[in-house]
């Protein structure tokens, strides 16, 4: 029996212009795939679809997507391996779909480079909003002046970052997180603050922020185990310290 649509799940009949953004949906459940693709299509996106990992990689090679909606549990090749291979070829935002409630699975998805995740069952409207949020942060903004501090440089127009002149391989969220820190040196932010300012969400699993900070430290710190730039402010959250001062005893 078809489930009635809730008002919050409605997608406008005349969608806004999405600029031709292409979304690849990788989902082996035909019902879920049809619903997700239908909502994204009605929201104005060009949608491609794959039911397994190898097909997803083939489709991505033929028409590189602007974003991938990727199920964690896939036949033959799981979503984690698909994410690794996609990100090994080029930077592409990934939203992971998972039916698992275990936090370790969600964190593992973020560790391999997923930019966001949605746990099944989910509202299709929420997924569309998350897709829009992720893609919006890949589009040029009004203030794209380069940022630089502590040997780090961020070119927001080209979406490139470097440390000491060597280019950094950052995911979408890692890039946005680094740019945010460089824009606000010396200020402490809670994980909820960073979720709102960087992810664009007023709610969500705050472990997402923790994982991304850890990954970012691994790429910008000389010694990630003793970070000097992205500091933990106990009881608050994190602060970017461009001076890179050592911890006081």
């Amino acid at each position: 029996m078809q489930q009635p649509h809730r008002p919050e799940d409605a997608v406008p009949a005349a969608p806004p212009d999405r600029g031709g953004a292409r979304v690849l949906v990788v989902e082996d459940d035909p019902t879920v795939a049809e619903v997700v693709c239908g909502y994204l299509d009605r929201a104005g996106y060009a949608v491609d679809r794959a039911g397994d990992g190898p097909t997803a990689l083939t489709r991505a090679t033929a028409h590189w997507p602007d974003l991938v909606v990727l199920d964690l549990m896939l036949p033959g090749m799981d979503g984690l391996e698909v994410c690794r291979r996609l990100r090994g070829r080029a930077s592409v935002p990934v939203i992971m779909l998972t039916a698992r409630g275990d936090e370790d699975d969600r964190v593992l998805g973020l560790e391999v480079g997923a930019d966001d995740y949605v746990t099944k069952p989910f509202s299709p409207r929420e997924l569309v909003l998350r897709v829009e949020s992720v893609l919006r942060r890949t589009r040029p903004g009004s203030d794209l002046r380069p940022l630089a501090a502590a040997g780090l440089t961020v070119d927001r127009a080209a979406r490139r970052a470097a440390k000491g002149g060597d280019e950094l391989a950052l995911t979408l969220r890692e890039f946005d997180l680094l740019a945010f820190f460089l824009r606000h040196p010396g200020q402490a932010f809670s994980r909820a603050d960073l979720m709102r300012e960087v992810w664009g969400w007023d709610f969500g699993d705050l472990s997402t922020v923790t994982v991304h900070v850890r990954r970012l430290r691994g790429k910008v710190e000389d010694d990630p185990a003793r970070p000097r730039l992205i500091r933990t402010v106990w009881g608050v959250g994190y602060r970017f310290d461009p001076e890179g001062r050592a911890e006081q005893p």
Side-chain angles (χ1 to χ4, degrees):
M1 178 182 298
Q2 185 176 7
Q3 296 296 321
H5 292 302
R6 295 174 295 177
E8 63 268 27
D9 285 342
V11 174
D17 179 15
R18 304 299 183 183
R22 177 178 293 275
V23 178
L24 173 61
V25 176
V26 188
E27 169 60 66
D28 64 318
D29 185 319
T31 301
V32 174
E34 183 176 355
V35 170
V36 169
C37 290
Y39 270 78
L40 290 170
D41 179 70
R42 291 194 294 275
Y45 295 103
V47 184
D48 203 356
R49 175 174 167 180
D52 56 64
T55 302
L57 296 175
T58 299
R59 296 281 174 82
T61 300
H63 299 284
W64 193 255
D66 296 294
L67 182 142
V68 179
V69 176
L70 178 62
D71 189 24
L72 179 62
M73 299 297 293
L74 293 169
M77 180 188 301
D78 66 24
L80 297 176
E81 181 60 25
V82 174
C83 187
R84 289 190 188 97
R85 297 194 184 192
L86 286 172
R87 297 207 55 81
R89 297 183 182 185
S91 178
V92 59
V94 174
I95 297 178
M96 195 80 77
L97 301 180
T98 174
R100 297 177 177 178
D102 188 85
E103 182 177 348
D104 290 341
D105 294 312
R106 300 196 299 270
V107 170
L108 188 56
L110 297 171
E111 290 281 10
V112 299
D115 298 282
D116 203 351
Y117 69 88
V118 177
T119 303
K120 299 178 183 177
F122 56 86
S123 160
R125 176 59 175 166
E126 177 189 351
L127 178 59
V128 171
L129 291 174
R130 286 182 180 264
V131 168
E132 171 62 21
S133 174
V134 171
L135 287 175
R136 184 169 57 245
R137 294 174 182 275
T138 68
R139 299 171 187 146
S142 57
D143 182 6
L144 297 178
R145 289 173 295 178
L147 303 168
L152 300 170
T153 58
V154 170
D155 183 341
R156 287 178 288 177
R159 294 200 64 87
R160 300 177 68 176
K163 175 185 177 183
D166 296 326
E167 188 163 355
L168 296 170
L170 303 180
T171 66
L172 168 70
R173 297 300 190 189
E174 290 167 1
F175 182 94
D176 290 341
L177 187 58
L178 178 60
F180 183 81
F181 278 135
L182 264 63
R183 285 172 53 209
H184 302 90
Q187 297 184 42
F189 295 93
S190 69
R191 293 189 300 168
D193 291 334
L194 294 172
M195 175 69 77
R196 181 176 58 255
E197 298 294 334
V198 178
W199 276 256
W201 290 92
D202 291 321
F203 61 91
D205 185 348
L206 296 181
S207 66
T208 299
V209 178
T210 305
V211 171
H212 279 81
V213 168
R214 182 168 66 244
R215 286 176 55 87
L216 184 58
R217 280 172 167 167
K219 298 177 181 182
V220 305
E221 299 280 0
D222 292 332
D223 182 0
R226 296 184 177 182
R228 290 172 172 258
L229 299 175
I230 304 175
R231 311 293 289 274
T232 297
V233 182
W234 298 109
V236 180
Y238 304 100
R239 181 187 69 244
F240 178 68
D241 184 357
E243 301 298 325
R245 293 183 294 268
E247 293 280 3
Q248 296 298 318

